[in-house]
Amino acid sequence: MNVIARSAFAEGLPNLTKPLSSLFIAGSLFITLSCGEKKDTFQQKGGGGPTIVDVIVAKSEKVSDRVEVNGTIVANEFAELRPEVSGLLTFLDVPEGKTVQKGTVIARINNADLLAQLNRSKIQLDLAETTEKRLKQLIAVNGINQADYDLAANNVNTLKADMAYTQALIDKTIIKAPFTGVIGLRKVSAGSYVTPQSVIATMQQLSNLRIDFTVPESYQQYVNKGGTVEVMLDQASGKYETARILAIEPQVNQTTRNLTVRAVLSSGNTSPGSFAKVYITASNNKNSILIPSNSIIPEARSKKVVVVKGGKAVFTQVETGDRREDVVEVTKGLNVGDTVVVSGVLFARPDAPVKVRSVRNLNVASK
């Protein structure tokens, strides 16, 4: 019976396999067709629906127009200590980084020959003055001619002039501090041979530091002598200092069309040569339209924003003015009440339908 049962099972096996195979193939085809239909349907819905965007309503807001320019801190007084004549340094006293008083001797150049010449002139002058006094007594009693006395007096004056000239040459061999200030690093050593091109050290007066900056010529009316500007010395601290305008360069640079301005800092601790930001107030409480900076679409020669009109995206060319960290002033191209797209700008297409998801506030949209 076991043999018969196995034969019967074996004989019936092919009949069972065919329906199962047909069922498996049909099921696979159904699943494949069903998946393909769902995928095409998703693409059709995604491509044909409106773009979802967030917008803000353009409003007129009062803002302060501030011009930001770069500035450089400069010392109140600055000098490079150089010798006037060439020679060997016989004395050098450069207290690096310390304050020295005006007139302090910093260096001396070998002037032994000049000192010897000055001493010789002094001896000759003593003899000439004695001769002049003797002849002056004789001329009073008509003991000599007037010409002899004039020659002796002229000799005295000549020797005095020679001594003054020699003293001037000696003064040129002595380098003194031209003002009270902090002396810099020593550039030469004692015993070196120096020339007028050699820099011995530098001096700077660190009190009443000044700042030099340039502004476009269109803002010339906003900088006046005696006026004030705000200066940020340290970007990390965000602290502003006040500077008073001392002078303005009368001529505009023809290459950059900028005007150079110098101001003195009222406070602040920094070093000459440091970089600083200068802020000039051009106007107060100006009515302007502000939009988030991320809603601007930059192009090669223009800027555009997306405005929603009639449920469609309209690309509008705009002109911008003052720019801050998160918002931009629009000077032309937008009107109060326009609906500006701030989210979904990259997915918007010209004249394509859009759906407004939410109307945001400017402070929220700019973050």
Side-chain angles (χ1 to χ4, degrees):
M1 292 181 64
N2 294 335
V3 175
I4 295 173
R6 289 173 181 173
S7 299
F9 180 79
E11 292 175 358
L13 185 60
N15 296 330
L16 294 173
T17 304
K18 292 180 180 179
L20 290 173
S21 301
S22 301
L23 182 61
F24 177 77
I25 295 172
S28 300
L29 182 61
F30 176 76
I31 293 173
T32 303
L33 294 174
S34 299
C35 292
E37 182 180 356
K38 288 182 179 179
K39 186 176 182 181
D40 295 339
T41 303
F42 175 77
Q43 289 179 348
Q44 184 177 1
K45 289 181 179 179
T51 303
I52 299 176
V53 295
D54 297 326
V55 299
I56 63 168
V57 178
K59 298 179 181 180
S60 178
E61 300 186 13
K62 292 184 177 181
V63 296
S64 295
D65 188 8
R66 294 205 308 173
V67 181
E68 177 183 317
V69 296
N70 298 331
T72 303
I73 303 298
V74 295
N76 185 29
E77 299 288 350
F78 172 81
E80 289 184 339
L81 303 180
R82 300 172 183 262
E84 292 189 66
V85 295
S86 300
L88 192 69
L89 279 177
T90 57
F91 173 81
L92 185 64
D93 183 17
V94 180
E96 298 175 320
K98 295 184 179 180
T99 301
V100 295
Q101 299 299 318
K102 180 180 179 180
T104 303
V105 176
I106 303 298
R108 293 178 184 270
I109 295 177
N110 185 17
N111 56 7
D113 55 339
L114 296 176
L115 291 175
Q117 183 176 346
L118 182 62
N119 290 330
R120 184 182 65 177
S121 297
K122 287 181 179 180
I123 296 173
Q124 291 177 347
L125 178 62
D126 291 339
L127 178 60
E129 287 179 342
T130 301
T131 302
E132 187 267 340
K133 289 180 181 179
R134 185 182 302 113
L135 294 181
K136 187 176 183 180
Q137 294 176 354
L138 293 176
I139 198 69
V141 294
N142 296 323
I144 59 171
N145 296 328
Q146 182 67 36
D148 294 335
Y149 173 77
D150 292 342
L151 183 61
N154 182 65
N155 188 28
V156 171
N157 294 331
T158 301
L159 289 173
K160 288 181 178 180
D162 291 342
M163 289 179 60
Y165 176 73
T166 305
Q167 185 62 51
L169 294 179
I170 293 175
D171 292 341
K172 289 185 177 182
T173 63
I174 303 174
I175 297 93
K176 298 180 180 180
F179 51 82
T180 300
V182 178
I183 198 164
L185 302 180
R186 178 168 52 86
K187 305 295 183 181
V188 296
S189 300
S192 302
Y193 185 85
V194 294
T195 65
Q197 287 72 38
S198 304
V199 178
I200 296 176
T202 60
M203 281 193 65
Q204 302 186 69
Q205 196 174 80
L206 302 182
S207 59
N208 298 325
L209 289 175
R210 305 181 180 187
I211 179 169
D212 289 351
F213 59 94
T214 57
V215 296
E217 61 177 340
S218 58
Y219 290 96
Q220 183 175 357
Q221 56 181 325
Y222 302 115
V223 288
N224 300 301
K225 184 178 180 180
T228 59
V229 295
E230 290 184 332
V231 180
M232 182 180 290
L233 301 177
D234 186 3
Q235 301 292 325
S237 65
K239 183 180 179 181
Y240 293 93
E241 305 289 347
T242 303
R244 179 174 54 87
I245 297 177
L246 291 177
I248 303 171
E249 187 71 35
Q251 182 177 1
V252 176
N253 189 303
Q254 297 182 4
T255 303
T256 62
R257 297 300 176 186
N258 290 335
L259 196 66
T260 304
V261 183
R262 174 167 292 176
V264 58
L265 287 168
S266 59
S267 60
N269 185 18
T270 186
S271 300
S274 300
F275 172 82
K277 285 286 188 180
V278 181
Y279 299 91
I280 304 169
T281 302
S283 61
N284 293 320
N285 298 327
K286 179 181 63 174
N287 292 327
S288 302
I289 296 177
L290 301 179
I291 62 174
S293 56
N294 55 11
S295 61
I296 299 289
I297 304 175
E299 294 187 347
R301 296 184 179 179
S302 63
K303 301 175 184 177
K304 291 184 178 180
V305 297
V306 181
V307 179
V308 178
K309 292 184 179 179
K312 294 184 178 181
V314 178
F315 283 67
T316 304
Q317 184 172 335
V318 295
E319 294 181 5
T320 59
D322 189 21
R323 185 182 184 94
R324 300 183 183 177
E325 183 178 359
D326 300 320
V327 296
V328 179
E329 176 191 9
V330 178
T331 58
K332 188 177 181 181
L334 286 181
N335 298 318
V336 176
D338 287 346
T339 304
V340 182
V341 176
V342 296
S343 178
V345 177
L346 298 178
F347 301 99
R349 297 293 180 268
D351 297 326
V354 294
K355 181 179 180 181
V356 178
R357 180 174 61 181
S358 63
V359 179
R360 295 188 178 184
N361 185 276
L362 177 63
N363 297 330
V364 178
S366 60
K367 294 182 179 179

